[in-house]
Amino acid sequence: MNLLIDVLIAIGLVVLAWQALVGGSLFRGIVMFIVFGLTMALAWARLGSPDLAMAEAAIGAGVTGALLMIAYWRLRALGASRPTPRSRLRARLALGVGVLSSVLVAMIGLAAVEAIGPGGEAGQALAAALPATGLGNPITGVLVIFRNLDTLLEVAVLLAAYVASRAALGDDKAALPLPPAQDAPLVGALVAVLAPLTVLVAIYLLKAGSQLPGGAFQAGAVLAAGGVLLMLAGRLHPAPLCGLGLRIALVAGTVVFSGVGIIMLALGQPLLAVPGTWAVYLIETAMMVSIGATLVLLFAGSAGLSGKALR
Amino acid sequence: MSLLLPALVVFLLLNLVAGLWRVFLGPTAADRMLSALLFGSTTVAMLLVLAQWQQSPALRIAALLFVMLAAITSIAFVALTQGRVAARRAPAPPVEPRQ
């Protein structure tokens, strides 16, 4: 029975990925991608990774679905309703690159399978070192304490993505067009309930993340989902300038994380050492704020946000 | 009892496969969107069953997140259809011809 479930999920994922990418109808591809996200959450659940199932839920249901829908709307609004005809040469090149990439991925996968010996030494070392940190969730331990350079770089990559999107969109356009705001009574009632709830759930996920599955990434994604909801309902609007508060929110994760690490270096500890559980919470809170702000701004496609409409 | 929960998961997964046919077929965007929303509910049900079966209560929180955020995609979708009524320079209706 277990095998049947896993095989069904695996086949479903491959078929959904193929259907999301294959041509035909653009909207069908978007819906297939949304369903792919749902199935991916099930796959993580089966693999015993509730943390990743949560992240998939928050990102997939809260941000990507709406982002793709709005991108579809923008494509049509900008008059790109017909996809450009494909060139045969490009298709052949893509096939070659695709095959080479698959071979590379397969080789890395094989190497990874062979590299991990029975028992997993890193896992044992983690289990031995975790109680001393006061954390109960091994994933938070790895992300914030044991392998925190990787996490710091991930937060920096998000910041870089925002800067790159600003560079790509340029300053001439204040913001990409958004569909007219939904101000139906039902949407207003939903926002009144859901927007405070996203903040509450984000703080819960952050707090729970030290002992149970959860953490800054999931919490930040939930916060971002709240921001996306406010934008769709017309309570938040894209703005041409990034306010001071938003600037602080954007860099908070990178600055606080590296700041704590550098202060520890000055105190004679190794670089990026984390002094205690309070520092873990401090870093995770800053990361949550940065992740939420960056995702909302990437969704808006604008430099900043404001409560008032531009036009 | 030990067989009931995995059997439920398989049943729900087969439901998903059957519903995929509707996403594939369409014909309108609304048909596809509705089946995607239905998949959301099915996924929540599966996560809840998996949480019980695999003794992994944190999966219930993933299910909670799906329930809480499911409405966002549908609001974005409604914006697509309302855009053509409200705005003059709005895009064509998101109803696609069969390919």
Side-chain angles (χ1 to χ4, degrees):
Chain A
M1 199 64 102
N2 292 13
L3 189 68
L4 180 61
I5 293 173
D6 293 345
V7 166
L8 271 177
I9 292 179
I11 294 177
L13 278 176
V14 173
V15 170
L16 282 166
W18 171 54
Q19 280 296 319
L21 292 177
V22 83
S25 143
L26 195 54
F27 190 82
R28 185 169 77 197
I30 293 176
V31 173
M32 289 290 181
F33 185 77
I34 292 173
V35 182
F36 178 83
L38 295 170
T39 317
M40 204 61 221
L42 287 175
W44 291 126
R46 279 295 297 151
L47 289 169
S49 320
D51 291 83
L52 285 170
M54 276 181 211
E56 190 67 52
I59 296 266
V63 184
T64 353
L67 181 70
L68 289 175
M69 293 276 169
I70 299 299
Y72 180 72
W73 189 91
R74 281 171 179 158
L75 273 178
R76 283 169 172 265
L78 298 173
S81 55
R82 292 268 163 275
T84 48
R86 293 178 209 172
S87 82
R88 196 163 284 256
L89 176 69
R90 201 182 291 175
R92 286 201 183 133
L93 271 178
L95 185 69
V97 172
V99 168
L100 283 177
S101 316
S102 320
V103 170
L104 185 65
V105 169
M107 280 170 63
I108 294 173
L110 272 177
V113 167
E114 281 176 6
I116 300 171
E121 289 162 26
Q124 286 169 5
L126 173 64
L130 194 66
T133 64
L135 296 175
N137 179 3
I139 294 169
T140 305
V142 170
L143 283 180
V144 185
I145 297 179
F146 299 117
R147 296 282 306 192
N148 54 8
L149 182 62
D150 296 352
T151 315
L152 176 60
L153 290 179
E154 277 169 32
V155 181
V157 161
L158 260 181
L159 185 61
Y162 166 75
V163 174
S165 84
R166 288 316 308 149
L169 288 171
D171 266 344
D172 47 338
K173 275 176 288 182
L176 291 169
L178 270 178
Q182 298 301 297
D183 48 3
L186 210 57
V187 174
L190 187 78
V191 171
V193 175
L194 217 51
L197 205 59
T198 52
V199 178
L200 181 72
V201 170
I203 293 172
Y204 165 75
L205 284 176
L206 189 74
K207 170 79 181 63
S210 65
Q211 302 299 329
L212 303 165
F217 283 94
Q218 290 88 341
V222 170
L223 264 194
V228 166
L229 178 72
L230 286 176
M231 292 201 82
L232 289 173
R235 311 287 169 94
L236 264 183
H237 300 275
L241 281 177
C242 190
L244 181 66
L246 206 52
R247 280 171 201 235
I248 293 173
L250 277 173
V251 299
T254 320
V255 168
V256 170
F257 206 151
S258 44
V260 169
I262 290 172
I263 289 173
M264 292 310 285
L265 186 67
L267 294 178
Q269 300 275 331
L271 181 66
L272 286 178
V274 177
T277 320
W278 63 269
V280 171
Y281 279 121
L282 180 71
I283 290 169
E284 290 231 292
T285 309
M287 268 168 40
M288 170 184 80
V289 170
S290 283
I291 292 166
T294 316
L295 287 179
V296 174
L297 280 174
L298 285 175
F299 177 80
S302 67
L305 296 170
S306 85
K308 277 175 286 184
L310 264 180
R311 294 174 280 279
Chain B
M1 194 64 195
S2 62
L3 208 64
L4 177 68
L5 294 179
L8 262 177
V9 176
V10 171
F11 172 70
L12 289 167
L13 268 175
L14 290 178
N15 258 333
L16 224 146
V17 173
L20 264 186
W21 188 240
R22 180 46 69 191
V23 178
F24 187 78
L25 227 54
T28 67
D31 290 319
R32 299 198 162 116
M33 194 62 223
L34 276 177
S35 36
L37 288 176
L38 184 71
F39 287 169
S41 312
T42 315
T43 307
V44 169
M46 271 189 275
L47 283 174
L48 292 176
V49 175
L50 284 175
Q52 184 66 28
W53 176 40
Q54 302 182 353
Q55 299 295 312
S56 161
L59 289 179
R60 296 201 181 101
I61 301 199
L64 169 98
L65 291 182
F66 270 125
V67 172
M68 188 176 79
L69 304 175
I72 292 182
T73 312
S74 39
I75 293 180
F77 175 71
V78 175
L80 293 183
T81 52
Q82 295 235 320
R84 75 168 187 245
V85 186
R88 216 19 80 150
R89 52 180 200 86
V95 180
E96 314 128 80
R98 301 272 294 266
Q99 315 253 337

